[in-house]
Amino acid sequence: MKRRSRHQACVGWLAVLVVVNLVQTAAAQTAVAGIDPSRAGIQGGLVVQLGAADTATPAALSRTGRYLVNVLDTDAAAVANARQQLRAQGHYGLVSAERIAGPSHLPYTENLVNLVVVWNLAAPAAEIFRVLAPEGAVIVADPKAITKQQLKAAGFTAVTDFEFGGGAPLVTARKPWPGD
């Protein structure tokens, strides 16, 4: 009888540890280097990050299994470094890093991308608007890269500032559903 109760106690503690680990993992995946796609209403899909300086955000997003992340940069060394970091962490696949000639034309068809994160490479607001799907969002980590006025002029709605984790304020905006 004592063995059975010890076994049940061990199983009970193991279950508690698993639940605690799952809660901590979910919290870590949500608090993504100050970038939380759910704050912009995005729960999954194709994410494009402009700038390869940050690999923590794409890596964390890939761990959720809900996002396919494409990191773009014009700097070949930054792209190579991002690829190396992502491969070393076992994330390359759901996350990829590519060099582009310039951000004035993003390599996607219209209305394809669910979320664009502007990190350290700015693209024209109109170009981001073009590639975003209706109800897609943009998160601008550097408000100097793209201003709120530029986002509004490109057609974005719900342009707002928010702080996450006590960091610098981020700007988020949504592409509206077309009227037709």
Side-chain angles (χ1 to χ4, degrees):
M1 190 70 150
K2 288 183 181 181
R3 279 189 174 167
R4 188 170 196 184
S5 62
R6 283 184 194 158
H7 176 72
Q8 288 173 340
C10 286
V11 169
W13 278 109
L14 182 60
V16 168
L17 290 174
V18 167
V19 169
V20 167
N21 186 38
L22 288 173
V23 169
Q24 289 174 340
T25 301
Q29 290 172 349
T30 304
V32 180
I35 307 294
D36 181 5
S38 65
R39 284 289 296 258
I42 306 300
Q43 301 299 321
L46 178 58
V47 176
V48 173
Q49 178 176 297
L50 299 177
D54 168 57
T55 59
T57 298
L61 291 175
S62 76
R63 283 192 291 272
T64 68
R66 297 182 312 216
Y67 302 97
L68 179 63
V69 185
N70 193 234
V71 178
L72 302 177
D73 206 313
T74 56
D75 182 358
V79 170
N81 184 45
R83 285 178 181 163
Q84 187 273 328
Q85 287 180 16
L86 293 165
R87 280 189 185 117
Q89 298 170 10
H91 297 292
Y92 208 79
L94 288 177
V95 180
S96 62
E98 296 179 49
R99 183 177 178 274
I100 58 172
S104 61
H105 182 76
L106 299 175
Y108 307 101
T109 189
E110 294 178 2
N111 303 317
L112 177 68
V113 179
N114 299 95
L115 175 67
V116 174
V117 177
V118 179
W119 197 258
N120 64 322
L121 178 66
E127 181 61 7
I128 294 171
F129 190 87
R130 181 188 71 79
V131 301
L132 275 175
E135 298 295 317
V138 58
I139 296 176
V140 181
D142 180 5
K144 295 176 199 146
I146 301 175
T147 66
K148 289 193 282 185
Q149 292 77 18
Q150 290 171 321
L151 292 169
K152 289 176 184 176
F156 286 97
T157 59
V159 179
T160 57
D161 293 323
F162 71 91
E163 287 188 33
F164 190 76
L170 305 174
V171 175
T172 185
R174 296 192 68 85
K175 180 177 179 177
W177 193 264
D180 57 355

